[in-house]
């Protein structure tokens, strides 16, 4: 009888393990931090190259999903229960790949910000390469949540078939501000502060001017 009870308990324990929710993957592999910090070094000069070198109120046309802010991340986490951080990181790369290409596309060959933006794109691609290599191939083959898949499909549509209502106008500087802030939010382990734990995903954090302490702009 004691033996039977022990067996039942053992089987129950195994069943409990199977019923546990899957463990989320580590959000940021350590190997990601070097290329992201290098990318951040370039972003620290975005005011000079994306504001001072452009006409006042200059904007470019981007897909509405490419205006990717901290509020978008918060909204997605509320809409998709148990949303894996890796999925958001993949989306971040997809969004900003398009943003950089659109900025470069409007810059003439001799524009003073052309070489800066090209170098920023190279560093971004280096970070993306490390990101892909840092995870097993299966991680990128998993089906995306429907909400994320819809965004992904929108971003990969041919421009000619994108509805006019899906386009937005934004300044290059604001797009790179979003780029930087969401990077800190989704890869926060790489930008850990020596001070108390910082909420890089909080809009209020950036409004307090702390961004100047994190990456002073030239």
């Amino acid at each position: 009888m004691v033996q039977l009870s022990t067996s039942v308990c053992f089987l129950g324990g195994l069943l409990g393990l199977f019923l546990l929710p899957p463990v989320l993957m580590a959000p940021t592999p350590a190997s990601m931090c070097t290329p992201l910090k290098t990318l951040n070094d370039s972003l620290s000069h975005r005011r000079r190259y994306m504001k001072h070198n452009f006409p006042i109120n200059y904007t470019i046309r981007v897909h509405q999903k490419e205006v990717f802010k901290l509020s978008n991340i918060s909204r997605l986490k509320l809409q998709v229960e148990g949303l894996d951080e890796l999925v958001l990181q993949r989306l971040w790369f997809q969004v900003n790949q398009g943003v950089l290409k659109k900025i470069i596309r409007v810059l003439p060959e001799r524009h003073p910000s052309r070489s800066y933006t090209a170098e920023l794109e190279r560093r971004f691609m280096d970070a993306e390469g490390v990101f892909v290599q840092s995870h097993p191939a299966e991680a990128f083959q998993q089906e995306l949540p429907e909400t994320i898949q819809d965004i992904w499909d929108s971003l990969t549509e041919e421009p000619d078939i994108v509805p006019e209502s899906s386009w937005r106008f934004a300044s290059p500087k604001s797009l790179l501000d979003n780029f930087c802030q969401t990077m800190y939010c989704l890869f926060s382990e790489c930008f850990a502060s020596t001070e108390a734990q910082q909420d890089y995903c909080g809009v209020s954090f950036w409004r307090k001017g702390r961004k100047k302490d994190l990456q002073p702009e030239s």
Side-chain angles (χ1 to χ4, degrees), residues 90-120:
R90 289 176 60 190
L91 182 61
W92 181 85
F93 276 106
Q94 184 66 31
V95 166
N96 289 296
Q97 179 184 83
V99 165
L100 290 173
K101 288 186 181 302
K102 287 181 175 64
I103 294 175
I104 289 176
R105 193 175 299 147
V106 302
L107 295 173
E109 198 65 38
R110 295 187 178 181
H111 191 281
S113 294
R114 174 84 185 202
S115 60
Y116 165 79
T117 312
E119 178 62 21
L120 186 62

Side-chain angles (χ1 to χ4, degrees), residues 107-205:
L107 295 173
E109 198 65 38
R110 295 187 178 181
H111 191 281
S113 294
R114 174 84 185 202
S115 60
Y116 165 79
T117 312
E119 178 62 21
L120 186 62
E121 184 183 40
R122 282 192 291 272
R123 292 185 173 189
F124 174 82
M125 292 174 65
D126 288 343
E128 186 175 28
V130 175
F131 177 72
V132 172
Q133 294 171 6
S134 299
H135 297 89
E138 303 77 44
F140 300 101
Q141 296 168 358
Q142 295 177 0
E143 186 176 350
L144 294 171
E146 184 177 355
T147 302
I148 304 297
Q149 186 65 58
D150 288 344
I151 297 174
W152 197 282
D153 292 342
S154 297
L155 291 170
T156 53
E157 280 183 336
E158 290 295 328
D160 293 344
I161 64 174
V162 174
E164 194 62 34
S165 59
S166 293
W167 295 108
R168 294 289 182 272
F169 286 90
S171 71
K173 169 65 164 51
S174 69
L175 290 168
L176 289 196
D177 282 346
N178 295 338
F179 183 142
C180 183
Q181 292 172 13
T182 51
M183 178 179 71
Y184 268 77
C185 173
L186 295 175
F187 301 94
S188 59
E189 292 88 343
C190 292
F191 304 102
S193 172
T194 54
E195 304 174 14
Q197 183 66 34
Q198 306 291 354
D199 180 16
Y200 295 137
C201 295
V203 176
S204 60
F205 173 84

Side-chain angles (χ1 to χ4, degrees), residues 44-60:
S44 69
H45 303 292
R46 64 189 183 277
R47 178 182 293 275
R48 172 186 174 187
Y49 290 102
M50 292 294 126
K51 184 174 183 179
H52 297 167
N53 288 346
F54 284 86
I56 296 175
N57 297 326
Y58 181 85
T59 58
I60 62 174

